Amino acid sequence: MHIYIIVGSIREGRTAIKVANWVNYSLSSQPNTDLQAEIIDLKQWALPLFAGSHPPATGIYDQPKQQAWADKIAQADAFIFISPEYNHGYSPALKNALDYVGKEWQGKPAAFIGYGSSNGSRSISQIRQVTSSLDMIDPNAVIEIRDIFKRNQKEKFDANEFEEKALTELVQKLQKYHKESV
């Protein structure tokens, strides 16, 4: 199973990339041989605001960057979205990335990791609404990171025991719903 860890922040000094690196390291350390994780960094993709002439739901992609994004997203079996909470919502870069394509998201399970002033709960709530509209599978796989402002002082995100256990459960849910959708 190929899982994309989507880094939903493009800000300088962002925490999302630290969390993504933790998730990627944890998944690559698991003895499960059919699990492959890959970090998809929206900052590196630099998707311009969507302005295509066709709605993404049509699957007609008239912009080269949009087609490249569609090709990339189509390769994943499941997703872990990592998002900060910005003004009681999630990042505009993540919203744009979700809206860029349509059918490539459909039928694939999605998990969510959030952080921020409410531990990311409000951003996760909004992302779940959008992924539901994109016909993604929601296995109720969520991690809300607590005390991120106190814990984000180092170069590396250090997960606690609760978060490590929650990540294991999150991946198990993705695997279960992926198998059911195949």
Side-chain angles (χ1 to χ4, degrees):
M1 184 167 109
H2 198 155
I3 299 175
Y4 282 176
I5 304 161
I6 298 189
V7 181
S9 174
I10 60 172
R11 283 184 175 174
E12 293 300 319
R14 61 209 164 120
T15 300
I17 193 69
K18 295 176 187 180
V19 175
N21 287 331
W22 158 64
V23 171
N24 191 44
Y25 176 78
S26 294
L27 296 186
S28 65
S29 300
Q30 291 186 3
N32 185 346
T33 57
D34 87 334
L35 185 66
Q36 298 172 333
E38 181 179 346
I39 293 176
I40 305 299
D41 189 348
L42 295 181
K43 187 170 187 163
Q44 292 176 350
W45 272 86
L47 297 171
L49 285 177
F50 175 71
S53 57
H54 300 283
T58 65
I60 300 169
Y61 304 132
D62 57 359
Q63 300 173 356
K65 192 84 165 196
Q66 186 183 29
Q67 186 61 58
W69 182 242
D71 294 344
K72 186 67 176 171
I73 295 304
Q75 295 173 25
D77 296 313
F79 302 92
I80 299 173
F81 295 101
I82 299 174
S83 180
E85 185 172 308
Y86 294 166
N87 300 318
H88 295 181
Y90 63 109
S91 80
L94 183 52
K95 175 68 167 129
N96 189 51
L98 287 165
D99 290 346
Y100 236 66
V101 296
K103 63 183 168 100
E104 292 75 16
W105 301 113
Q106 293 176 358
K108 297 177 182 179
F112 311 92
I113 300 176
Y115 59 89
S117 60
S118 70
N119 306 324
S121 64
R122 294 177 286 215
S123 67
I124 290 170
S125 178
Q126 289 182 9
I127 298 167
R128 290 172 90 176
Q129 290 175 22
V130 173
T131 57
S132 174
S133 294
L134 291 168
D135 201 22
M136 296 181 81
I137 299 167
D138 185 347
N140 196 27
V142 172
I143 299 174
E144 295 176 359
I145 299 174
R146 301 185 183 285
D147 299 323
I148 197 66
F149 302 113
K150 292 179 187 175
R151 297 170 62 198
N152 190 31
Q153 306 303 315
K154 301 177 186 174
E155 277 298 307
K156 183 178 142 187
F157 175 75
D158 291 319
N160 60 32
E161 183 179 326
F162 170 79
E163 291 154 350
E164 291 287 353
K165 182 180 178 193
L167 181 59
T168 299
E169 292 170 2
L170 180 145
V171 170
Q172 289 170 349
K173 287 180 179 182
L174 288 178
Q175 290 174 315
K176 175 186 174 191
Y177 283 88
H178 168 66
K179 287 176 185 173
E180 291 177 8
S181 70
V182 174

